[in-house]
Amino acid sequence: MTYRVEHDTMGEVKVPADKYWGAQTERSRNNFKIGPEASMPKEIIEAFAYLKKAAAFTNTDSGILSAEKRDLIAQVCDEILEGKLASEFPLVIWQTGSGTQSNMNVNEVIANRSHVLQGNKLGEGTTFVHPNDDVNKSQSSNDTYPTAMHIAAYKMVSEVTIPGVEKLRDALQLKVEKFKDVVKIGRTHLMDATPLTLGQEFSGYVSQLNHGLKALRNTLDHLSELALGGTAVGTGINTPKGYDVKVADYIAKFTGLPFVTAENKFEALAAHDAIVETHGALKQIAVSLMKIANDIRLLASGPRSGIGEIHIPDNEPGSSIMPGKVNPTQNEAVTMVAAQVMGNDVTISIAGSNGHYELNVFKPVMAANFLQSARLIGDACVSFTDNCASGIEPNYEGIKKHLENSLMLVTALNPHIGYENAAKIAKKALKENKSLREAALDLGLLTNEQFDQWVRPEDMIGGLK
Ligand SMILES: O=C(O)C[C@H](O)C(=O)O
């Protein structure tokens, strides 16, 4: 490895000769050898590119940055957004809780890359664009990092999570319509209950996802508020007049998303309740997905010794030792994702609750957990739709067997012979291993014709088809 020497206010540091990052990035690389697989999410780096470009434009509009510097900064930001500098951001999330080192990583890369774009050799001479004085002008890590969190979170939720959940919701809605006349036994407390249709059962899943989507969308207003302009403690020291509003306008323009400046910069730096709030909705969706995927795998259990009321697609051999076995693998992936998101919610709650005075210093861990959850939910919903939900079919034989066997069809007799007589029929049938009809006739509580007339599963599903 060949090195060049970079400096910061603490002195000189050797950095890899071919890398654009500078002294502060290198110090972080050396000082935080913690969990090297947990890199700062690339979505956060991209969000920084949006906000650094917006800051440069706003600074030039305010007369405090030359147009030449603005254009150089903007050009490098565009390169970052195009993925051309992906190997220049080596830091991990386990660093300073303000994300200062990643902010400086971006500042250093932009300054050094600008130097090269001007025709200079990396590491030779002084850069025309200074990482702190120019790239970080009118900014602090304390307002840039939370701004990057909101940009990355909003983009991930709107581009990945919502479309994924909607796709699953739509696939399940098709099943609701297709299965609307398939009468099956219900189960409460995991025990036999009165019948319903498979369509009714699935409509509950659709409703869960619709409520989850609504909860998620309801949080987006708060997430659209940006901290930028608050600088060090929320007062906006070292920013020109009107900077916060203008910089948010530029970010909205560059991202195509409805970002605005935060109403209160003190909250925006010291608390990350917007992240907690939106992640709360992600957790709600994870809770729904856990229930939906569990129900579906139990309904599909078998093929000989389970509930076996639906078929799900056979996607892969399930077992390395048991020939012919096929498992509900998509459901297993979805339920693992749900477990991860619920765990992330605990991390985010602890991290979010620990702002001290003017700053919350759990920012990188909140960002990483949030982005993981939002990505996982979106991807898992797409995978589950394409590889499982779309292919669900009723197992009519299994449904019929359980329906005809069920003792709880006896509930239909309550209005005719009373709860206590109906219970006698159910208990006798169970004890003597008889059908409900046989038990009812033995007890002389009704006639064969009355049984046919009153015990009709298709009339027991209420008005809600
Ligand atoms: O990096 C900064 O801009 C500020 C830092 O997080 C601090 O408050 O000490």
Side-chain angles (χ1 to χ4, degrees), residues 40-89:
M40 188 58 63
K42 74 174 186 356
E43 294 82 4
I44 288 288
I45 303 299
E46 283 166 13
F48 263 105
Y50 282 118
L51 75 89
K52 292 287 170 189
K53 182 172 166 181
F57 271 78
T58 313
N59 285 327
T60 303
D61 292 355
S62 310
I64 57 171
L65 186 78
S66 72
E68 195 184 353
K69 286 184 176 175
R70 174 199 64 195
D71 292 344
L72 280 166
I73 293 171
Q75 192 179 341
V76 183
C77 289
D78 289 342
E79 288 185 352
I80 295 173
L81 290 170
E82 287 159 21
K84 289 184 180 156
L85 300 173
S87 62
E88 298 293 337
F89 304 98

Side-chain angles (χ1 to χ4, degrees), residues 17 63 107 112 183 204 226 238 244 257 259 282 305 348 392 405 412 420 424 458 465:
N107 293 336
N112 281 326
V183 180
L226 301 181
N238 290 355
D244 59 345
L257 292 170
F259 291 114
L282 294 177
S305 308
I348 285 179
I392 295 173
N405 244 342
E420 295 201 9
K424 279 185 200 151
E458 61 278 19
K465 267 211 170 177

Side-chain angles (χ1 to χ4, degrees), residues 279 339-349 369-370 372-373:
H279 200 275
Q340 181 69 57
V341 173
M342 290 181 222
N344 288 352
D345 199 64
V346 175
T347 302
I348 285 179
S349 304
N369 278 268
F370 184 102
Q372 185 192 43
S373 295

Side-chain angles (χ1 to χ4, degrees), residues 182-184 198 309 394-403:
V182 182
V183 180
K184 60 167 298 242
L198 190 57
E309 291 185 350
N395 175 4
Y396 293 101
E397 216 177 293
I399 286 175
K400 188 162 176 268
K401 186 178 86 190
H402 288 139
L403 187 63

